[in-house]
Amino acid sequence: NKKSTAKKLVQIEEGKEYAKDIFFALHCIQSNDGECEVETEMGSIIYPPYSFIQGAVYPINALRIKSLGNAKFIGLVS
């Protein structure tokens, strides 16, 4: 399964639901200074403040970001 390039970039919005397998990674454009809750197929994960580093790309297949914790992400769409 080679998903190495993005076909499209999408601004991730808090609370918005996204289709399963639409994103193969999240690009952090602003670090979180509060808790960030990400819903995936495996359930919700709560990340503590400063878990996401600006400029880093995370291989998280998010269905919804319940709480951004002031973070900003761009989804890399396959």
Side-chain angles (χ1 to χ4, degrees), residues 25-76:
L26 296 176
H27 183 142
C28 180
I29 58 173
Q30 179 177 308
S31 299
N32 62 314
D33 61 9
E35 285 188 346
C36 185
E37 185 174 0
V38 179
E39 184 178 336
T40 68
E41 284 186 275
M42 305 304 283
S44 288
I45 303 166
I46 298 175
Y47 296 92
Y50 308 105
S51 295
F52 295 101
I53 299 168
Q54 183 176 350
V57 177
Y58 298 91
I60 299 172
N61 199 355
L63 300 176
R64 177 171 46 158
I65 308 276
K66 292 182 175 180
S67 172
L68 284 168
N70 293 319
K72 291 184 182 175
F73 296 100
I74 293 176
L76 304 177

Side-chain angles (χ1 to χ4, degrees), residues 1-17:
N1 190 2
K2 294 184 179 183
K3 296 181 178 179
S4 59
T5 60
K7 292 181 183 174
K8 184 176 169 184
L9 303 176
V10 176
Q11 179 74 38
I12 302 297
E13 298 175 37
E14 186 173 274
K16 183 175 178 181
E17 290 188 37

